[in-house]
Amino acid sequence: MGLTRDEENEVSERQGLRSLQVFEVVRQEGVEELSRPIQSLFWSGIAAGLALSLSIYCTAFLHHALAESPLRSMLESFGYSVGFVIVILGRLQLFTENTITVVLPVLTDCSRFRMQRTARLRAIVFAANMIGTLISALVATLGAILPPEQLEAALAVSQHLLEYSALQTLLYGIPAGFIVASIVWLMPSSKGSEFWIIVTLTYMIALGGLTHVVAGSTEWFLLALAGEMSWVRAVLAGVLPALVGNVIGGTGLFALITYAQVKNEI
């Protein structure tokens, strides 16, 4: 037997309530982030950039260790999740998380103050993330903190970015931004499964050859420092298109869709 109309309405209401609860948790996190001091955001953003660069280095470590394995390309992608686990569980400031977290407060209260605070936070966090990944790439390349063979492996796993045009980088950044925003949305109801959610979804970013502006900036900076691409191309065909793609996927798609499903219940 099917559900009666009253039962269907009750189920629909419960589902709507759960979505609204998740929305409110993420929105409230965004409100708290918008009120944080500039200095706190900046240093947290640098820490996030440094930590997320580990995604590339750990991928390189597996790439080197699995040199003889026919499954190398599939298994090495697990290394990509390492930096995201540190950043997300450590609650560091990551730009692509903020494509949804700090946008939801603006969608519910589109005041000039909120918009200014959102623009301020995103500019600070993005700049800090880029500083963090640049420092990481400089130290890895010039500071000899990695064995030569591991640095070579880091460059090898970054080579696929040389094949992407600016348009491809942008387009591949859209699903990556959507995936990271999905992680943020799932965290409030994960109930102890946070680690596996992060690992599974970020693994898909690496396995799919998608572009994430912060993790990818480590690769573009490494390639530029090694002379395998110009700095102009690294920025104009790498960082900036990935930035646009991630924002489209995280804000333009995921944040707006999640808001649309609950706006009549707020």
Side-chain angles (χ1 to χ4, degrees):
M1 292 180 63
L3 297 175
T4 66
R5 183 174 297 276
D6 288 342
E7 289 173 332
E8 290 177 349
N9 290 337
E10 184 179 348
V11 170
S12 178
E13 287 176 3
R14 286 202 301 267
Q15 291 174 340
L17 180 60
R18 284 195 291 268
S19 295
L20 187 59
Q21 288 172 336
V22 174
F23 179 91
E24 183 57 26
V25 170
V26 178
R27 189 196 70 82
Q28 189 58 43
E29 289 179 1
V31 171
E32 293 172 2
E33 296 294 343
L34 290 173
S35 64
R36 293 188 66 187
I38 291 177
Q39 189 174 26
S40 298
L41 294 171
F42 179 74
W43 288 111
S44 182
I46 288 181
L50 290 168
L52 203 58
S53 67
L54 291 175
S55 289
I56 308 306
Y57 303 137
C58 290
T59 301
F61 299 160
L62 289 173
H63 179 86
H64 179 72
L66 298 169
E68 304 301 323
S69 173
L71 299 176
R72 181 170 72 171
S73 62
M74 183 177 70
L75 296 176
E76 70 184 18
S77 295
F78 279 111
Y80 193 79
S81 300
V82 172
F84 286 93
V85 170
I86 296 171
V87 170
I88 296 174
L89 293 185
R91 300 185 65 83
L92 300 176
Q93 287 291 332
L94 180 63
F95 177 81
T96 46
E97 278 191 279
N98 288 330
T99 56
I100 176 173
T101 306
V102 299
V103 170
L104 297 188
V106 174
L107 292 176
T108 55
D109 177 19
C110 193
S111 65
R112 182 177 179 181
F113 175 77
R114 280 277 172 84
M115 294 180 68
Q116 289 175 337
R117 278 300 180 103
T118 300
R120 183 197 73 161
L121 181 145
R122 295 178 75 174
I124 292 169
V125 171
F126 178 71
N129 286 169
M130 293 300 101
I131 292 171
T133 55
L134 179 58
I135 291 173
S136 174
L138 285 168
V139 173
T141 304
L142 306 176
I145 64 168
L146 294 178
E149 62 272 18
Q150 299 292 3
L151 181 58
E152 290 179 11
L155 290 171
V157 300
S158 304
Q159 291 287 327
H160 71 285
L161 294 177
L162 293 173
E163 303 172 4
Y164 293 175
S165 67
L167 179 59
Q168 287 174 316
T169 299
L170 187 155
L171 293 175
Y172 300 159
I174 294 174
F178 192 93
I179 288 172
V180 174
S182 301
I183 295 174
V184 177
W185 185 258
L186 291 172
M187 293 297 276
S189 56
S190 57
K191 297 181 181 179
S193 301
E194 295 91 343
F195 174 83
W196 296 111
I197 289 173
I198 297 168
V199 169
T200 301
L201 294 182
T202 55
Y203 174 70
M204 290 297 113
I205 295 176
L207 195 63
L210 306 178
T211 51
H212 184 273
V213 63
V214 182
S217 66
T218 304
E219 297 177 285
W220 285 305
F221 294 155
L222 286 171
L223 291 169
L225 287 166
E228 297 191 25
M229 68 162 39
S230 69
W231 283 98
V232 171
R233 182 183 173 192
V235 174
L236 297 184
V239 173
L240 293 182
L243 168 66
V244 174
N246 290 170
V247 170
I248 292 173
T251 300
L253 294 178
F254 197 93
L256 294 179
I257 290 171
T258 55
Y259 174 67
Q261 71 171 330
V262 299
K263 68 177 183 178
N264 292 329
E265 301 169 81
I266 297 175

